Amino acid sequence: MTTPAPLARSHPLRRHAAALLAGSLLLATAGQAASEEEDVITSHGIATFGELTYPEGFEHFAYVNPDAPKGGIHHTWTLGSYDSLTPFTEKGDAAEGAWGVFDSLMVSPDDTLGEYYGLVAESVTYPPDKHWVSFKMRPEARFSDGSPLTAEDVVFTVDAMQNKGQFRYRAYFGEIEKVEALGPHEVKFTFAEGASPRDLVPLVAGMGIFSKAYFEDRDFSKSSMDPPLGSSAYQVESADAGRTIVYARDEDYWAKDLPVNVGQNNVDRIRIDYYTDQGSAFEAFKAGAYTFRGEVNAERWLNGYDFPARRKGDVVLQEIPAHTVPNAGGLYFNLRRDKFQDIRVREAIETMFNFEFFNSRLFHGVEERVASFWERSDMAAEGPPSPEERAVLEAVLDDLPEGIGDILNDPAATPYAGEGSSQRDRQRQRRAIQLFNEAGYTLENGRLVGPDGQQFTFEMMYASPDAEQYLSPFAKELQGIGIDARLRFVDSAQWRERAETFDFDAMHVFIPMSELPGIELRDAFGSEYANVGGGLAVSGVSNAGVDKLIDMIVRAETREELRVRVSALDRVLRAMRIRVPYWVRPDSWIAYYDYYREPETLPEYSIGIPGIWWADQARYGELRASGAIR
């Protein structure tokens, strides 16, 4: 569930996912004008907390090269397979980037957090309590076949997502009470009573817009390999299910000269090849079969790139400082299973994960162990709770799960840390066995058995072969304390089936976390999603106290309130021991053939590839002629 080569937040092939996961937004005050006729505000953009960075009439985002040349190709890869070009349905595995063919009312720049500026929409209007919001749309907006994009298409989109989209989308859009076309180019959203405009405004601003006419004779709920009618800078050019997807830049793209698009969408084509494993994908890169990859394996990064194209200077390695909240990686327990109900069992298994040894022997010491679900942010819980955080926790204390300790006074939970001098850490073993003993398990003839006399079994499911380098020794360590520990490698089809039916003990997965958390937390940790298969609710957390904390986060009215409440949730999730946490590194690692060019300064919150990068076509020709690129 990772993307080896992530796309820029503002790029069309990433925009819709960013809209759903970017978190909560409030409407800004900068550049806004109050109407004399009504108590409403009209603005060119919306922001989370405080003022908009870009004033009305701005020419382009600060980090782009407005004179970047057009042309060339961005050729990258991903793991797994796909059998659908419709990412909004329950059925099928959608192609990477499939959401990106649809434009949205507004887009978010990569140098700010929680700010949206007009794309299909010219402006946004709302009252002070924000229980409704309307968008004035650009009359020139078009779908790729030249048909107009109107308010009726927006109305159709919301109706389709509420009634026929994936379950999580239906829930998100379900808090929209009414959507109305006030005219051909104006659409109004009214939110349900008690809903949070802080999340719903960016949701509707950032949603991909579908063509009502296109779906008149098509079933929206069915998976399809027919390229849908989109409106963005890139449309599907060709699709070979499970092998390759190619998006081509629309030369007649209606919005190519808008300020939010200047200096962006530079390459003519974006091609994504699918591979079954990391090893074969890397060998293909070395041979020039594709030209850009994000690297996740420390051994490969430090020692694997000494190949001819790299030595000749045809391949460039770049380490870019990371500033964003990383995906919350880990081995997530399936809390729906009885054997994981006792927190001490989960903590014992977590204790046996010898990160210090793995880091020194496998990762060359470059990784940093994570504890928080919001690493690299001020929302990560640290030490004992502050008075402000204590007040939040006290409000939900009676509803929190048993066994999480003195949450009001204890330091935030961190993983067990050993010396890392050897793989077999006796002190670590003693601690884990003690926890199992407290939970009612005993060692009998080298087998860890429960009150029922059965040996404790633990199966780890993963789909990335790279994970085996640390999951395999982890399994051996668990076996060393009497656990029947096993690994189960699955392909993408098996992964989907098992995830949807919760057929796993623990899952190797990376859950996306937001810089501005909001309603997406319900999808990952809320009770209403705990038994929705195939979503973000991997562990199946179902606790009234967690639900209340999420509601408090959704309704935070200031950045400081948000920080305190997210920190409280982070503290609780960590104390619940729902995963064996992994690690992060301080930099993003990328490798590419030397024809990619980038702006002088990359934005703080994104690598920007391929959106704001461009291709040196002369250099590309040289690399092709020399045989470096196939």
Side-chain angles (χ1 to χ4, degrees), residues 398-596:
D398 292 341
D399 293 305
L400 294 178
E402 297 179 359
I404 61 172
D406 185 358
I407 199 73
L408 297 181
N409 297 291
D410 287 346
T414 57
Y416 181 92
E419 296 181 358
S421 57
S422 64
Q423 183 173 357
R424 189 59 56 88
D425 184 337
R426 300 296 183 185
Q427 185 173 345
R428 184 186 300 272
Q429 289 182 327
R430 286 193 291 271
R431 174 58 181 157
I433 292 173
Q434 177 187 349
L435 286 165
F436 268 115
N437 290 161
E438 292 173 2
Y441 290 82
T442 58
L443 268 174
E444 297 180 7
N445 299 319
R447 299 165 69 248
L448 188 69
V449 299
D452 59 359
Q454 298 299 309
Q455 185 178 15
F456 188 88
T457 61
F458 183 62
E459 183 178 270
M460 295 169 268
M461 187 177 80
Y462 64 105
S464 172
D466 270 12
E468 191 167 331
Q469 66 176 322
Y470 45 87
L471 292 183
S472 181
F474 181 37
K476 288 184 173 61
E477 287 298 292
L478 292 172
Q479 291 163 4
I481 62 169
I483 294 175
D484 180 11
R486 311 166 186 173
L487 302 182
R488 180 174 291 277
F489 175 75
V490 296
D491 60 24
S492 58
Q494 292 173 311
W495 179 279
R496 182 182 179 89
E497 180 181 356
R498 283 175 169 266
E500 288 182 346
T501 59
F502 315 119
D503 185 15
F504 60 91
D505 278 348
M507 178 188 290
H508 165 83
V509 70
F510 292 78
I511 296 178
M513 291 288 108
S514 171
E515 309 283 346
L516 297 168
I519 57 175
E520 82 287 346
L521 293 174
R522 294 172 180 161
D523 195 354
F525 307 116
S527 297
E528 62 186 306
Y529 290 91
N531 293 309
V532 178
L536 297 180
V538 178
S539 282
V541 174
S542 181
N543 173 259
V546 170
D547 293 339
K548 289 179 180 179
L549 285 172
I550 293 173
D551 287 341
M552 293 169 69
I553 290 168
V554 168
R555 285 165 175 74
E557 296 183 357
T558 67
R559 178 64 178 80
E560 179 60 15
E561 279 187 352
L562 183 69
R563 183 194 66 78
V564 170
R565 295 173 185 184
V566 173
S567 181
L569 177 62
D570 184 42
R571 187 177 300 274
V572 170
L573 292 175
R574 286 158 61 174
M576 290 174 65
R577 310 283 181 175
I578 67 173
R579 63 169 178 162
V580 176
Y582 285 164
W583 50 84
V584 294
R585 66 182 61 96
D587 303 311
S588 296
W589 298 336
I590 60 174
Y592 52 89
Y593 279 78
D594 183 33
Y595 71 90
Y596 286 87

Side-chain angles (χ1 to χ4, degrees), residues 66-86:
D67 300 317
K70 305 294 184 183
I73 185 171
H74 169 61
H75 192 172
T76 187
W77 75 289
T78 192
L79 279 174
S81 182
Y82 77 94
D83 57 11
S84 170
L85 297 177
T86 51

Side-chain angles (χ1 to χ4, degrees), residues 86-117:
T86 51
F88 37 79
T89 64
E90 290 285 359
K91 299 178 181 179
D93 292 309
E96 189 84 8
W99 268 117
V101 303
F102 307 104
D103 263 342
S104 53
L105 291 165
M106 291 183 157
V107 293
S108 176
D110 289 337
D111 61 344
T112 67
L113 290 178
E115 297 185 19
Y116 270 51
Y117 296 87

